[in-house]
């Protein structure tokens, strides 16, 4: 339940500027928090932080718990003594996140930093490392071994590993852990410094009155430590291949639906042990973030199940999920669940009931508001206070790009609704977002910076060329902060 009016900015850390090939938790992240505070904002929304593979999509990760090592700030490792200033690579300032360059330059330096850390006699830091490993053993051991094996087996998917390892024979796993001891330690070190830096950044944000708004994908990747370590909790065959995969049915946007390919949860098995993995996952995310967006919330009511042999999503069917039982059990441990339900698309009454029974805010997207009549749920007069309003999300075009591509009929509908003859995008949509009765208003930084379609974050349904946008170091200034703070104050969202 959202109890006060707030506003914030959507920006994934990879989009931060700085000296590394992708944005990091370094100086620029702290400067961005300072900008948020100066601009009267109280929320920083980010995308999932997990380690990514092909396509660099943060919604397809090798772990539901681990952090992406590419976000680690090398300059902070210098301050910790794990690297020297001379070790740092020299990257030209770029408006594009270069993941390949980050992998080839940063991962060897993390290995070097790990070696220095192991040789260092700093007992306090080693004690902190040991504490981190013990506190997070439930997921860290499996992830560290999974990633070590993945590297050692030339990045083959775990279904192609030796049978004893694939099936997690205890003796085989112990043998591999000893054989890969150096890699195993490196993976734990990377996670230690990742979360060391993340919690430092989060504490700084909170000290400035900024809440961190995270993102939890409902499904996990087939090639992940989570599926490998808990195979019985997914619909898999004896070879570890999925028998049922996730997606969404055909709709207005796609005649064949979307076949995502994530293995579906075996909810019967998950329920049998009291949802322990989900409790562990939510508990960890509630440590990492102050608010948590749950992606594809409708999947907690029912999932679109597709036989793995089907090439499209056409022949799927709805399979019930025990969302009510899950959230009821979670509330016993976490009485106040700081969850935002991603309830976009075609939402049925059972999904609305699940959301509303637990008081979870839903989402309203203004770019979706003007393609029908006055009953469109995204139009501001249909908003409710317990919701989060956006101009657009990471999956949308920038507002400038959206406006440029609208046909004249829809443009006129927008102008009529806003009572404006001369539309000044994106600021008129930004103002409309802030004026909404929705308790929380979120604006992508691209809209604040008035950027065109070429600067959007993601084009859904495309596997390459996404997640690359970065802003330039000179983009944020006091004049922009003052403009945003004044609008925030006018519409009662400035908490300072």
């Amino acid at each position: 339940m959202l109890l006060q009016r707030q506003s914030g900015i959507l920006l994934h850390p990879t989009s931060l500027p700085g000296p590394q090939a992708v944005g990091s938790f370094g100086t620029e992240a702290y400067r961005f928090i300072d900008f948020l505070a100066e601009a009267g904002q109280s929320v920083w929304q980010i995308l999932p932080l997990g380690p990514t593979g092909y396509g660099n999509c943060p919604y397809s990760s090798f772990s539901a718990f681990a952090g992406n090592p590419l976000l680690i700030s090398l300059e902070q490792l210098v301050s910790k003594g794990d690297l020297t200033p001379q070790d740092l690579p020299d990257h030209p300032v770029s408006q594009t996140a270069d993941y390949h360059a980050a992998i080839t330059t940063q991962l060897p330096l993390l290995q070097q930093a790990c070696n220095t850390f192991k040789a260092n006699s700093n007992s306090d830091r080693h004690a902190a490392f040991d504490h981190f490993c013990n506190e997070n053993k439930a997921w860290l051991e499996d992830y560290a071994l999974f990633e070590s094996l993945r590297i050692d087996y030339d990045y083959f998917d775990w279904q192609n590993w030796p049978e004893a390892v694939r099936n997690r024979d205890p003796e085989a796993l112990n043998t591999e852990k000893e054989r890969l001891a150096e890699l195993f330690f490196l993976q734990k070190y990377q996670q230690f410094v990742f979360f060391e830096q993340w919690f430092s950044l989060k504490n700084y944000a909170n000290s400035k009155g900024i809440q961190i708004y995270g993102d939890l994908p409902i499904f996990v990747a087939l090639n992940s430590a989570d599926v490998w370590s808990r195979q019985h909790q997914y619909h898999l065959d004896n070879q570890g291949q999925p028998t049922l995969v996730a997606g969404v049915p055909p709709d207005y946007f796609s005649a064949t639906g979307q076949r995502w390919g994530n293995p579906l949860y075996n909810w019967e098995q998950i329920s049998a042990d009291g949802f322990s993995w989900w409790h562990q996952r939510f508990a960890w995310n509630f440590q990492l973030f102050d608010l948590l967006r749950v992606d594809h919330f409708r999947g907690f009511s029912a999932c679109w199940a597709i036989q793995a042999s089907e090439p499209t999503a056409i022949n799927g069917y709805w399979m019930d999920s025990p969302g009510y039982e899950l959230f009821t059990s979670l509330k016993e441990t976490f009485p106040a669940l700081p969850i935002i339900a991603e309830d976009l698309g075609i939402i049925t009454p059972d999904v609305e009931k699940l959301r509303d029974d637990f008081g979870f805010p839903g989402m309203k997207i203004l770019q979706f508001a003007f393609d029908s009549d006055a009953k469109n749920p995204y139009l501001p007069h249909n908003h409710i206070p317990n919701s989060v309003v956006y101009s657009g999300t990471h999956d949308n075009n920038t507002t400038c790009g959206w406006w440029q591509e609208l046909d004249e009929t829809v443009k006129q509908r927008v102008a009529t609704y806003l009572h404006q003859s001369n539309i000044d995008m994106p600021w008129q949509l930004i103002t409309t977002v802030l004026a909404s009765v929705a308790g929380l208003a979120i604006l992508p930084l691209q809209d604040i910076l008035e950027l065109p379609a070429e600067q959007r974050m993601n084009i859904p349904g495309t596997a390459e060329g996404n997640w690359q946008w970065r802003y330039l170091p000179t983009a944020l200034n006091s004049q922009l902060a003052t403009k945003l703070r004044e609008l925030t104050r006018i519409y009662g969202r400035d908490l300072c």
Side-chain angles (χ1 to χ4, degrees), residues 13-24 52-53 55-56 68 70-71 89-107 457 465-471:
T14 57
S15 296
L16 291 161
Q20 294 181 203
V22 302
S24 76
T52 59
N56 309 303
N68 189 343
L70 301 185
L71 291 171
D90 184 21
H91 285 290
V93 174
S94 171
Q95 204 167 354
T96 300
D98 188 338
Y99 294 91
H100 177 71
I103 290 169
T104 56
T105 60
Q106 184 158 326
L107 295 187
M457 192 62 166
N466 297 311
W467 320 109
Q468 295 180 345
W469 176 73
R470 300 176 79 180
Y471 71 90

Side-chain angles (χ1 to χ4, degrees), residues 113-187:
C114 178
N115 294 340
T116 303
F117 171 79
K118 280 200 295 185
N120 196 312
S121 60
N122 185 330
S123 59
D124 288 344
R125 193 134 181 272
H126 279 271
F129 172 78
D130 291 340
H131 178 76
F132 171 81
C133 293
N134 289 330
E135 287 288 301
N136 297 285
K137 186 176 182 179
W139 66 263
L140 182 60
E141 293 282 313
D142 283 325
Y143 171 74
L145 184 55
F146 172 85
E147 191 64 12
S148 300
L149 290 164
R150 200 173 67 86
I151 294 169
D152 187 65
Y153 292 141
D154 293 328
Y155 299 98
F156 287 155
D157 291 355
W158 64 265
Q159 293 86 351
N160 297 316
W161 295 351
E163 182 178 359
V165 179
R166 183 186 74 214
N167 294 335
R168 296 181 57 82
D169 175 77
E171 185 176 345
L173 295 189
N174 287 333
T175 298
E176 293 292 69
K177 190 179 295 187
E178 292 178 7
R179 183 176 70 86
L180 301 173
E182 292 295 320
L183 270 175
F184 186 70
F185 187 92
L186 171 63
Q187 301 311 314

Side-chain angles (χ1 to χ4, degrees), residues 19-20 23-28 30 68-80 83 88 106 110 193-194 197:
Q20 294 181 203
S24 76
F25 298 152
T27 301
E28 291 74 16
Y30 289 81
N68 189 343
L70 301 185
L71 291 171
I72 293 171
S73 167
L74 299 177
E75 67 179 7
Q76 289 192 23
L77 294 184
V78 172
S79 69
K80 295 292 185 180
L83 293 174
L88 301 185
Q106 184 158 326
L110 290 177
V193 296
F194 177 96
Q197 293 185 7

Side-chain angles (χ1 to χ4, degrees), residues 309-376:
S309 58
E310 292 285 341
T312 72
I314 292 176
N315 295 320
Y317 60 93
W318 289 111
M319 185 168 68
D320 289 342
S321 305
Y324 200 92
E325 293 81 358
L326 169 62
F327 292 120
T328 298
S329 69
L330 283 170
K331 280 191 73 68
E332 294 175 1
T333 306
F334 309 100
L337 294 173
I339 287 173
I340 312 295
E342 186 275 287
D343 56 351
L344 306 177
I346 300 174
I347 300 300
T348 52
D350 57 306
V351 181
E352 293 177 344
K353 178 173 171 50
L354 178 64
R355 178 198 65 201
D356 295 343
D357 281 354
F358 288 94
F360 298 149
M363 292 174 57
K364 307 295 181 183
I365 313 297
L366 286 197
Q367 287 189 22
F368 296 160
F370 302 98
D371 60 0
S372 56
D373 58 20
K375 296 180 181 178
N376 187 308

Side-chain angles (χ1 to χ4, degrees), residues 236-250:
L236 307 177
D237 63 21
N238 291 333
Q239 305 302 312
Q241 297 294 344
T243 57
L244 292 175
V245 298
V248 289

Side-chain angles (χ1 to χ4, degrees), residues 288-324:
L288 299 179
F289 313 115
D290 303 297
L291 299 169
L292 185 64
R293 173 187 181 269
V294 175
D295 194 41
H296 195 60
F297 181 80
R298 73 145 302 125
F300 287 107
S301 179
C303 297
W304 187 247
I306 308 162
Q307 292 290 336
S309 58
E310 292 285 341
T312 72
I314 292 176
N315 295 320
Y317 60 93
W318 289 111
M319 185 168 68
D320 289 342
S321 305
Y324 200 92

